[in-house]
Each structure stands twice: as C-alpha cells, then as structure tokens.
C-alpha cells in the first residue's frame, strides 16, 4: 500500500541541520572561511619578533701539544659547548605589513559573507523542497483514494449490469473513471518520487531512506 510508504521519518528542521553539516557547497564555503582566518593569523605572526633557542658544540684537537711546562708533549683535545637565546626582529617594512593584514581581513569577511549566503540558500532549498514533497504526498494519497473509490463504483456498476438492472453505458463509464483514476495515480506517484529526489539533492549527502519510507 503506497499510503503506508510516504510518511516522513525526518523533520524539516532535522534535514536543514543535516544539510548545514554535510552539504558539499556549505563544506566548501566553510573550509574557505577557515583558510582565510588562518591566513590572518599567519600574516600577523610574520610581523612579530621571534625567540629561538640556539646551541653549538665544537671540538679543538691539538696534537703533540702540552698544557704544562716540563711535561712531555701529548695530544690535547678541547670541547666547547654554547647555548643561548636568539631574538629575530623583522625589519620595518613601512605600511606593507599593515596592508597585508587588512587584505587578509577583507578576504576573511568576503569568505564569511559567502558562507552565510550559501548556508541561507541551502536552507531555503531544503525548506521549499520539503514542503513541495508534502504537497506531492497529499496529491498521491488523494489519487490513491480516488482509485479505491472508482474501483468500488466499477464493482457496483458491474454488479448492476450482471443483475440486469444496469446498462452497458453505466458500466463503461465506471470502468473509464477507474482507468483515469489509475492513470492519475501513476502521474502522482512519479511526481512524488521526483520531489523526493529533489529534496534529497537539496539536503546533500542524505539517503532517501531518511526522507520517507
């Protein structure tokens, strides 16, 4: 029974939330925004002094030497180790650094606006597709009911004809109404399936089983 297979198992709000997390367009916009924010940090960091730990180990070999008077010559080995802190201060670059920071911040604002726009568009698409599917579901259910009613009318007309109280015109009209109802039901089912696919596409990455079953 098709009527038992068109109930939603996911609400519109749940689908919208799913789309905001998984839709490819939103993911791409979110990654661009993240990269732009990281670029601001990188540009700011390039203009700051840096502190680093430096170390050096050296060895001086003096062969055949003596450090004390009157002592026979011998080999002398000297090891030296140095460790310290090194501060690197970037040279003054005029206003170039300031402009680089402003440019990075402007890029981040553009990416934020794009992310907001994409998110709004996807949300609107999901909402419209969801309600379109609801409308097609109601049309499908109405066509199912029409098929059932016309079938009952045909059986009544057939019974009347077989009993000799009805005529062939009445029977043919009832049969024609039943046939038209079934054709309408086929069209409604196709429209419902198309709306279901459009909703799945607007959500992005969600299986059809999450929309209706």
């Amino acid at each position: 029974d098709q009527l038992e297979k068109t109930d939603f198992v996911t609400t519109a709000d749940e689908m919208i939330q799913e789309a905001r997390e998984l839709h490819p367009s939103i993911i791409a916009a979110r990654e661009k925004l993240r990269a732009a924010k990281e670029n601001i940090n990188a540009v700011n960091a390039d203009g700051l002094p840096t502190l680093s730990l430096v170390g050096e180990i050296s060895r001086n070999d003096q062969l055949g030497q003596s450090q004390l008077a009157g002592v026979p010559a011998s080999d002398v080995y000297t090891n030296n180790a140095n460790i310290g802190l090194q501060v690197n201060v970037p040279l003054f670059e005029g206003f170039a650094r300031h402009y680089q920071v402003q440019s990075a911040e402007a890029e981040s604002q553009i990416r934020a606006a794009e992310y907001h726009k994409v998110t709004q568009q996807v949300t609107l698409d999901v909402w419209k597709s969801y309600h379109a599917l609801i409308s097609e579901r109601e049309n499908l259910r109405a066509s199912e009911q029409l098929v059932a009613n016309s079938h009952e009318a045909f059986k009544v007309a057939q019974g009347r004809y077989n009993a000799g109280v009805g005529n062939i015109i009445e029977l043919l009209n009832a049969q024609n109404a039943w046939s038209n109802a079934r054709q309408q039901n086929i069209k409604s089912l196709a429209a419902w399936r198309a709306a279901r696919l459009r909703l799945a596409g607007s959500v992005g990455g969600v299986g059809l089983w999450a929309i209706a079953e």
Side-chain angles (χ1 to χ4, degrees), residues 52-56 82-86:
S52 57
L53 180 67
V54 296
E56 179 183 7
N82 298 308
I83 190 169
L85 296 175
Q86 177 177 310

Side-chain angles (χ1 to χ4, degrees), residues 69-163:
V71 176
S74 61
D75 297 336
V76 178
Y77 303 96
T78 304
N79 294 322
N80 298 310
N82 298 308
I83 190 169
L85 296 175
Q86 177 177 310
V87 178
N88 296 315
V89 180
L91 295 176
F92 178 67
E93 301 176 355
F95 295 100
R97 181 69 57 187
H98 177 69
Y99 292 144
Q100 290 175 358
V101 172
Q102 282 190 327
S103 177
E105 291 176 345
E107 177 69 16
S108 178
Q109 292 175 358
I110 292 174
R111 296 305 181 186
E114 290 177 351
Y115 173 70
H116 181 67
K117 180 180 179 180
V118 170
T119 301
Q120 279 191 324
Q121 185 60 53
V122 169
T123 299
L124 179 60
D125 289 344
V126 172
W127 187 88
K128 291 170 62 177
S129 298
Y130 181 87
H131 287 280
L133 182 57
I134 288 179
S135 178
E136 294 298 345
R137 180 191 64 180
E138 296 307 313
N139 291 338
L140 177 58
R141 289 182 171 181
S143 70
E144 289 281 354
Q145 189 61 49
L146 183 60
V147 169
N149 292 341
S150 61
H151 185 219
E152 288 298 321
F154 170 73
K155 290 194 295 183
V156 171
Q158 191 176 44
R160 285 170 53 82
Y161 179 78
N162 292 336

